[in-house]
Amino acid sequence: MNIFRINTSAYKEEDFYIMTSLAEGKIRNVIDPMVQYERDNDTMHDNEEYVNALKQKYPRSIIVMHQYIELIEF
């Protein structure tokens, strides 16, 4: 299981996290084209649309979205 921080814009507050069994490359294969389309066509996807696209492409994988993850610092 992996946790990835997903950054699709210049605004850090729009970042989100996914806990998933997917590898980074599979995530990029789905999200990169969506981000490029946004930039080329001046449109926007919300974070749930990215996650839903991953779930559609990989329905048997574990994909859980979190807006915020607590950090434990020592």
Side-chain angles (χ1 to χ4, degrees), residues 12-56:
K12 191 173 183 176
E13 61 271 6
E14 292 181 7
D15 291 0
F16 64 100
Y17 297 83
I18 56 172
M19 181 177 68
T20 183
S21 57
L22 293 173
E24 180 181 343
K26 288 184 176 183
I27 297 166
R28 286 186 179 278
N29 286 341
V30 172
I31 293 180
D32 275 346
M34 294 174 74
V35 171
Q36 285 306 313
Y37 182 84
E38 280 184 340
R39 292 176 182 164
D40 293 344
N41 295 287
D42 198 31
T43 61
M44 290 181 62
H45 294 292
D46 66 25
N47 294 345
E48 288 184 15
E49 289 178 286
Y50 294 117
V51 173
N52 288 338
L54 286 168
K55 287 180 177 182
Q56 268 189 329

